[in-house]
């Protein structure tokens, strides 16, 4: 679902220790990401309100994109609940996309992963064009880090970084799902 030229799109992700938000509106775009540990529930409402207020927009979006994980059980559910609540109040669709897609950087084939503890990662390999995942070369899966590294070979690997809110937002607009499910580490 593409956003129209007069629409406002809000993206948010709370699956990792980072609180990540992004906003695109006709006059611009803005992304913020800060490490908050486990304080997503306390900080998300104020951060979303501040993001819209800082650019002079009312507290409303026409489309919401949510990072669906993988991530901590509580973190993923905080973001999803908040996004669904806003979507219902605003009458805005809520599209889901894997948090892993917010870890992509640059262009071309690349692997991304999050620590899944005990020597495992939750990783995927994507083809990225125009800053957006265009294809999955290896679907998101949990596997031992050495196995994931062997799968990657010489492919660049982005591991445990801060999610990029604009990458998440663009992925959601390009191919976000209305019928999404949450993924946990």
């Amino acid at each position: 679902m593409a956003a129209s030229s007069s629409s406002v799109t809000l993206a948010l992700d709370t699956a990792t220790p980072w609180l990540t938000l992004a906003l695109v509106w006709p006059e611009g775009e803005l992304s913020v990401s800060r490490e908050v540990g486990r304080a997503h529930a306390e900080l998300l409402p104020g951060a979303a309100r501040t993001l819209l207020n800082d650019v002079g927009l009312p507290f409303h979006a026409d489309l919401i994109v949510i990072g669906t994980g993988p991530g901590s059980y509580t973190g993923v559910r905080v973001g999803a609940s908040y996004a669904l609540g806003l979507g219902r109040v605003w009458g805005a669709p809520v599209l889901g996309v894997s948090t892993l897609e917010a870890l992509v950087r640059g262009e071309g084939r690349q692997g991304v992963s999050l620590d899944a503890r005990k020597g495992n990662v939750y990783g995927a390999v994507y083809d990225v064009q125009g800053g957006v995942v265009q294809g999955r070369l290896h679907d998101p899966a949990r596997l031992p880090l050495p196995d994931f590294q062997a799968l990657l070979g010489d492919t660049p690997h982005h591991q445990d970084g801060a999610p990029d809110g604009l990458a998440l937002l663009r992925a959601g607009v390009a191919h976000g799902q209305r019928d999404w499910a949450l993924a946990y580490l």
Side-chain angles (χ1 to χ4, degrees), residues 33-104:
S33 194
R34 70 179 204 188
E35 195 165 5
V36 299
R38 296 179 183 210
H40 298 96
E42 296 86 355
L43 300 173
L44 176 58
R49 214 172 257 286
T50 298
L51 182 69
L52 286 151
N53 187 54
D54 284 353
V55 298
L57 293 173
F59 190 59
H60 181 317
D62 303 295
L63 176 66
I64 302 167
V65 175
I66 178 69
T68 59
S72 77
Y73 181 82
T74 302
V76 171
R77 294 180 77 78
V78 163
S81 298
Y82 187 72
L84 289 170
L86 288 180
R88 179 158 292 180
V89 169
W90 293 343
V94 179
L95 303 179
V97 66
S98 173
T99 297
L100 293 173
E101 292 194 38
L103 301 177
V104 300

Side-chain angles (χ1 to χ4, degrees), residues 115-122 142-148 159:
D115 181 13
R117 297 185 191 96
K118 298 183 180 178
N120 295 302
V121 296
Y122 208 108
R142 182 181 179 150
L143 59 165
L145 178 59
D147 292 356
F148 187 65
Q159 185 174 11

Side-chain angles (χ1 to χ4, degrees), residues 100 110-113 122-126 136 138-141 148 151-152:
L100 293 173
Q110 53 192 279
V112 296
S113 68
Y122 208 108
V125 181
Y126 296 123
R136 291 181 183 174
H138 185 277
D139 286 335
F148 187 65
L151 175 80
L152 290 173

